[in-house]
Amino acid sequence: IVVAVVIINHFYKISVHGASLGALIAIIITAAQVPMFDLRYLLLIAFVLTGITLSARLFLHAHTLLQVISGWVLGFTIMYLIL
């Protein structure tokens, strides 16, 4: 994920915070597919913290909405495909 973000950042600014939080949510979703684990509350907390963090990035004018979303989608997609 880091390599992909570094390569993309040479051409277009993308949110590393978004990529890492997207990867975290992909890990939780993958782990939640095991029947003996109930990770709904952990997933809810992860989504709330993701929203807070990415909103802060927008509020501080560090990124645009498209940069934050594309970072999150990149991190989620790569991690989900790996797992």
Side-chain angles (χ1 to χ4, degrees):
I1 294 172
V2 173
V3 172
V5 169
V6 168
I7 291 170
I8 292 171
N9 269 333
H10 282 295
F11 306 103
Y12 176 75
K13 187 175 179 184
I14 194 169
S15 175
V16 179
H17 287 88
S20 62
L21 292 169
L24 175 67
I25 290 178
I27 291 169
I28 295 171
I29 287 174
T30 303
Q33 293 174 1
V34 177
M36 70 171 134
F37 296 123
D38 183 18
L39 299 176
R40 289 180 289 183
Y41 295 114
L42 182 62
L43 186 61
L44 176 66
I45 292 168
F47 270 117
V48 169
L49 292 177
T50 297
I52 291 169
T53 303
L54 298 183
S55 295
R57 301 301 294 165
L58 293 173
F59 179 74
L60 294 171
H61 300 289
H63 294 287
T64 64
L65 181 61
L66 185 60
Q67 292 167 347
V68 167
I69 291 173
S70 60
W72 190 91
V73 168
L74 177 77
F76 181 87
T77 304
I78 291 175
M79 185 57 73
Y80 194 78
L81 289 175
I82 288 172
L83 297 176

